[in-house]
Amino acid sequence: GDVRPESVVGRNNNLSTTKLESNPWWEVSLSSSVVVDSVKIYNRYLLHSACPGGICSRRLRGFRLEIFNGDDANAVFTYNDPSPVDPGLVISITTVPFGTVGDRVRISIPGQTQYLHIREVQVFSE
C-alpha cells in the first residue's frame, strides 16, 4: 500500500517510522474499498534507553486506529488504545463492526510528540 512520504519504510529491521513530531501518523491505502473484518499491528520490539521505560513498544501507547472510505474525512471506524503502559507486541483489533467498508487505514498517536514505529500492519477482509 501507499505510505506517507515522511515515513521511512524498511529501516532498522523493517520498521516503518515517522520523525519525532506532534500527533504522528501512518496510513496505508488498500487500493479499493473492502469490508474490513479486523486489523493486526506488529509493534516494535527493542530495549533501548531512549524509549519510555527502556521498552520501545511503549511508544505506541495511546495510539488510535481509524478506517476511512473514499474522500470522506470522517472515519467509519475508530479504535482508541486503552493500554495504560504498553499495548504489547502484537495488537489484534477484532472489534471492527460487521460490514465496515474502508479503503484506508490510519494509525496515529494523538496528543503526543513522539516517534511512531510499527513493524507490520495486516488488514483482514472477508
Side-chain angles (χ1 to χ4, degrees), residues 89-116:
L89 298 177
V90 179
I91 306 154
S92 295
I93 300 168
T94 58
T95 57
V96 180
F98 180 78
T100 298
V101 175
D103 64 1
R104 291 174 288 135
V105 175
R106 178 180 296 165
I107 298 169
S108 62
I109 308 175
Q112 295 184 44
T113 298
Q114 187 62 271
Y115 294 97
L116 191 153

Side-chain angles (χ1 to χ4, degrees), residues 60-66 77-84 87 91 93 95 106 108-110:
L60 202 54
R61 180 183 53 84
F63 78 91
R64 176 177 293 156
L65 178 132
E66 296 170 291
F77 172 75
T78 300
Y79 171 88
N80 290 301
D81 172 50
S83 305
I91 306 154
I93 300 168
T95 57
R106 178 180 296 165
S108 62
I109 308 175

Side-chain angles (χ1 to χ4, degrees), residues 7-18 26 42-46 56 59 116-120:
S7 69
V8 178
V9 179
R11 179 178 176 214
N12 297 330
N13 298 319
N14 295 321
L15 286 176
S16 288
T17 182
T18 65
W26 175 95
Y42 293 86
N43 197 357
R44 180 181 189 184
Y45 175 74
L46 180 69
C56 291
R59 283 190 170 154
L116 191 153
H117 299 286
I118 47 178
R119 288 182 38 228
E120 183 176 346

